[in-house]
Amino acid sequence: MVECRWLRNPNFVKDLIQLYTRAGVEAISGISYTHYNHRAIYEAAQALGDTTFLTSQLYGMIDSYNLWNATIDNTTHLYHRTPLSDAQEFSLPGYVTGGPNGGPVQYWESFDNDYNTIWLGPETYRPNFNSYMVAGARAIATVAQLAGNTSLAQEWNQYGDGLYSRMLDMLYDNDLQFWIDVVEGTNLPVVGRELIGYFPYRFDVGTGTNMIRGLEAGLNEHEFITQYGPTTLEQTNPYYTALKNVTYCCIWQGQSWPFSTSVYLGTLARLARNNLSSIATPQLFYQAMETYALTNYKDNIPYTAESHYPTINEWSGDTTNHSEHYFHSTYFDNVFTNLIGIIPTLDNRIELRPLVPSNWSYFAVENLPYHGSLISLLWDSTGTHYSTPTHSPGLSVYINGALLHKQSTLAPVNITLPSNTTSAITKLAQQPRYENILSNPNSPWGLPNITADYVFSANGDIQPYPPWKMNDGLLWYDDTPDNRYTNNQTQQPYTTLSITLPRPRNISSISLALMDDTARMNGIHEGGVMACPKAIRVALANGSVVAERNPWTECVGNSVNTVLFAAPRPGGALPGDNDTSTAAVGTGVVVETDFLSVTVLNRQYYSVGIPEVQIWVPANAGPRYEAEDGLLGCFIGSFEGRKSGLNNSIVDGGVELYEGGWAEIADVRTQNGTVGPGRLTVIGGGSGTVEVGMNFLTNQTLTFSGNQSQTINVDYLYGGNVVTIFQTSGTPWIDAIVVG
């Protein structure tokens, strides 16, 4: 969320937020790894400037926060988790409890060790997890205050303060002046500095002067700082190792972890920009940021994996289709917020507090989205590097191309934004939305689906690249993505894909992500085996052609290519290798269909690799929303391709729900954007009962016996609402829901 807040299109981060606050992703799948989402929601809103959106998430934030109450100890009233569930397996708590008889590990290679405990770690009160919850409670309080609910704000502030007080009593080691782990149940202190001890300060938790002195103690080359660090455990700890005891990916008693580093950088930046430390200075922050940047390389190419050796220029956790693109490392946010110093606020202003080195004579940030507008910064100490009519030596700040502020130095400054940014935020929030109706997280089960008339088989029986991977909603930009389809080794130069939708839809184009590895090596025919197709043809069920490109000269490899439809015309023979005819270029003619065939003709010497196929249409504006358009069953995880939980079928234009089945319909909106009490009609039949959930805040029970419509009263929130219909008995059938 913190990383996505800087994307040009705000809907990405808003959708991500609402997965938790309205779609109930953790309510359905259960809580898993710890996170600071509630604080991140608030920080995302600071960059968006959309307080209306933020306050509309209030009760979803509370409900999703309360899901974690299951991890509260009834005696200490602190949150606990195993280090593995804190995404930090093989960390210090496991070593002090995984040895003989539940004591500390004496030797690594010992039959007396409990290696499962060393790996998982014991249930532990962790300072980072509890600081997430303190910060989350305070974020909820702030949002409640913005919503005008003062009593609720006071309640959540008091809860956050009480939790912090309990943290301070149990998790702060006054001798070390550092936050430590404590084992739940035995209350055994896990004495030693782990990098998570720097996390609370990043979230404005534990900011006293004495605590700053304790943080300073670890900021040297003997403790946490290394060439490719920081380390996750101080180097003077007897359990620290710069290498790994096993070949497992993630060993957090020393390895450099990008996520952990990103939070640590946030702490250093806060200390540096407020001049609160003679050790955590702007120079130290920049040194750490530079180390982080240099660490995020592989083979001289920018790259982020799961863990890095702290003293060797090599990733230690870098397994294929698992470690690449470690997106929760907030690299960009550390650049924009901490290095460049763009401090987002909910106020109608922008705060600049750069931490760039004094020897930087120039830098530029161009068209960064902020509060519905585009912000650009030009720093040019001499005025000679950038040539724009309105720029002179020093710092120039622009909004939507117009000069907003000038100053001669990089001194901190608060700049008031133009009054029209409020209307810009509103306008941006009202931009048209689109949805990919071909995406099916349940693939290969259910609809929509994709099949192919040829599937590559290794050794004659294994199909590593099946066609269902083309519509599982995952598009991976790996060097060799596993998540793809390929017609490699086909006997024919062409392949036909068959696309089936749950119901007829109005479609005007289709988009294909296509691999190109021709530049991979210097062998015959330029190298690899996959390239853009020579030609493509898209047809309807009756054979009528709606798009043809032969040759497909516009195709760009390693990119998403969109083909616009033309008016349907009779189909002919498949395009041959020497066919140079070209159909009329499509203009986006709309056709209604529930089936498409896509035929791709391989270029000579090459095959085709397709990681994803997409069909984008304008989002449904209501008032009717079809059940079969929703997410059905459960998130299965297409990489495994398991069918568990898909307890429903699309029948007679609706969804029949079986035991435990459900249908979730997202982005349900009122016609005029009104919020508050309203009506929702559920059209269905069959025989059985369902619970209708609204944004995972309320549930109402409906009973069906034969075809009928039932209307209930619900509370609509601002923006897109999420309606989830759960089977509770019998075999109910759901046709659609109607707003009003």
Side-chain angles (χ1 to χ4, degrees), residues 197-513:
Y198 286 91
F199 284 25
Y201 199 95
R202 155 66 176 85
F203 302 105
D204 304 311
V205 175
T207 56
T209 301
N210 64 313
M211 294 179 170
I212 294 174
R213 302 291 85 82
L215 297 176
E216 290 174 334
L219 299 177
N220 59 72
E221 62 185 14
H222 303 293
E223 302 299 336
F224 287 103
I225 296 177
T226 60
Q227 186 176 2
Y228 298 101
T231 59
T232 41
L233 178 66
E234 60 184 345
Q235 297 171 81
T236 53
N237 192 288
Y239 294 114
Y240 165 81
T241 173
L243 301 176
K244 299 197 300 183
N245 295 338
V246 295
T247 57
Y248 182 81
C249 67
C250 318
I251 311 294
W252 302 128
Q253 94 300 12
Q255 301 302 293
S256 173
W257 184 25
F259 168 75
S260 193
T261 301
S262 71
V263 180
Y264 160 82
L265 286 169
T267 289
L268 295 188
R270 280 163 169 74
L271 292 169
R273 74 169 65 105
N274 292 307
N275 297 313
L276 295 174
S277 170
S278 60
I279 295 176
T281 61
Q283 291 76 22
L284 182 73
F285 166 78
Y286 181 73
Q287 175 188 330
M289 188 70 205
E290 185 176 42
T291 297
Y292 188 44
L294 292 173
T295 300
N296 281 271
Y297 272 80
K298 179 180 178 180
D299 300 329
N300 297 317
I301 297 173
Y303 184 88
T304 301
E306 198 157 6
S307 70
H308 199 287
Y309 291 112
T311 58
I312 303 172
N313 188 16
E314 182 180 337
W315 290 99
S316 56
D318 188 17
T319 50
T320 302
N321 295 316
H322 176 79
S323 301
E324 308 100 323
H325 315 311
Y326 216 58
F327 193 48
H328 60 333
S329 308
T330 64
Y331 184 94
F332 295 122
D333 188 70
N334 270 296
V335 171
F336 294 137
T337 301
N338 294 325
L339 178 61
I340 303 300
I342 302 170
I343 313 298
T345 73
L346 282 177
D347 303 331
N348 195 40
R349 63 186 175 90
I350 184 170
E351 181 179 349
L352 299 179
R353 307 188 73 179
L355 291 176
V356 300
S358 58
N359 63 351
W360 276 27
S361 59
Y362 63 88
F363 70 78
V365 175
E366 191 171 15
N367 290 332
L368 187 70
Y370 183 78
H371 283 224
S373 300
L374 298 176
I375 300 292
S376 297
L377 280 67
L378 295 181
W379 164 248
D380 185 355
S381 60
T382 63
T384 59
H385 190 80
Y386 300 110
S387 56
T388 64
T390 56
H391 178 61
S392 56
L395 177 68
S396 299
V397 181
Y398 299 84
I399 183 167
N400 299 326
L403 183 65
L404 178 64
H405 175 81
K406 292 177 68 171
Q407 62 182 55
S408 59
T409 69
L410 286 175
V413 62
N414 276 289
I415 305 170
T416 301
L417 299 175
S419 58
N420 62 359
T421 54
T422 302
S423 61
I425 293 168
T426 303
K427 183 178 180 180
L428 192 61
Q430 295 173 344
Q431 290 296 302
R433 293 170 58 85
Y434 296 86
E435 58 186 11
N436 174 19
I437 61 172
L438 190 52
S439 174
N440 178 7
N442 293 324
S443 288
W445 317 109
L447 294 175
N449 69 12
I450 302 181
T451 60
D453 61 2
Y454 170 83
V455 182
F456 168 69
S457 297
N459 301 320
D461 57 357
I462 299 174
Q463 296 181 348
Y465 309 116
W468 61 263
K469 292 189 176 184
M470 289 185 284
N471 78 310
D472 59 2
L474 302 175
L475 180 54
W476 295 351
Y477 286 85
D478 297 337
D479 184 51
T480 307
D482 169 271
N483 194 266
R484 73 177 192 272
Y485 164 81
T486 180
N487 67 0
N488 189 26
Q489 299 190 28
T490 177
Q491 299 88 353
Q492 304 290 339
Y494 56 81
T495 298
T496 297
L497 314 176
S498 296
I499 297 171
T500 304
L501 302 175
R503 66 181 179 91
R505 302 296 295 268
N506 290 324
I507 304 168
S508 61
S509 66
I510 189 168
S511 301
L512 292 84

